[in-house]
Amino acid sequence: MRVSEAVTTWRVGSATITRVEEQLGITNLPCEKYFPNFEREVLQRHRDWVAPDHYSPQHDRFVTSVHSWLIRVDGLTILLDTCGGNHKDRPWTHRFHQLDTPYLARLRAGGAAPEDIDMVLCTHLHADHVGWNTMLRDGRWVPTFPNAKYLYSRTDDAYWDKRQNPAMADDPRHMAYEDSVLPVVQSGQAVLVDDGYDLTSKLSVEAAPGHSPGHVLFKLVDGGMRAVFCGDVIHHALQVYAPHWTHMADEWPADAVASRQRMLQSCAELGALLFPIHFGAPHVARIDHGARGFSVRFVPGTT
Ligand SMILES: [Zn+2]
């Protein structure tokens, strides 16, 4: 795992968006497992740009990032998706098991202390998007951001909570709900949101189901400029060229493909800057209409 100290920022209208890295490195699993319908010829066709930032030839594995987006707009300080977190038991995924990373130091390097965060946004409730929602204090999981409202999708909350969905009791992934979502519900800081919810006049929620049942996008429109914070609607830049590749953790793969197609189409039509959570460097991209579908144009930030 490589850890970067560099803080990189993008501007969209009056908003600034800063990347806060937790980890950057190769995936747990080979390409054929990461995307069950992976096609090696697509990788070969794009080999000139995928290595080394998006694919490691040495390991024959994809390179992916895990980071948050720190958004400042209209006087608000917003943290979107909170990575894996420290000291969490994740026996099903060693990349997130019992981590000890300097994530909060990097958040501070981005200019925000935990108490500065006004809102935490979660695109969905998988372990690598909710981890820093809480931290361990005196043996208990407590909200990391004491002054924040945490926005969760109502549909995802109902799906991952074993009290609401008894089938989840047999799925080890419900551990992420117990230690990283539920303590925030119990502290009274959680706000459950649905499709069409407006956070501010510039930021809104749109349903994008598939990777998880209640997965949402956050859309920013500011001064005529647009950004889409898409969570895991897309995992890897090669999926821009192969939107039909499903991810191993997609709950509803066919819906995930439909949500990805819809999002790519919207980004290409409206010129929105795409801020995924797992793209390798430089992490942010524009989507264009290409000869065979869509194409990706990376947009580096400034340091
Ligand atoms: Zn993820």
Side-chain angles (χ1 to χ4, degrees), residues 34 65-66 81 96 123-124 126-129 211 215 231-232 234-235 247 249 277-278:
Y34 192 71
S65 174
V66 182
D81 284 351
F96 298 99
T123 57
H124 63 298
H126 280 166
D128 57 324
H129 296 255
H211 181 62
H215 195 299
D232 284 359
I234 191 164
H235 284 81
H247 184 262
I277 295 294
H278 298 308

Side-chain angles (χ1 to χ4, degrees), residues 198-212:
D198 291 330
L199 288 71
T200 73
S201 59
K202 296 176 178 172
L203 261 172
S204 59
V205 174
E206 183 177 299
H211 181 62
S212 75

Side-chain angles (χ1 to χ4, degrees), residues 242-254:
H244 58 284
W245 285 359
T246 57
H247 184 262
M248 59 180 181
D250 286 347
E251 298 291 313
W252 300 344

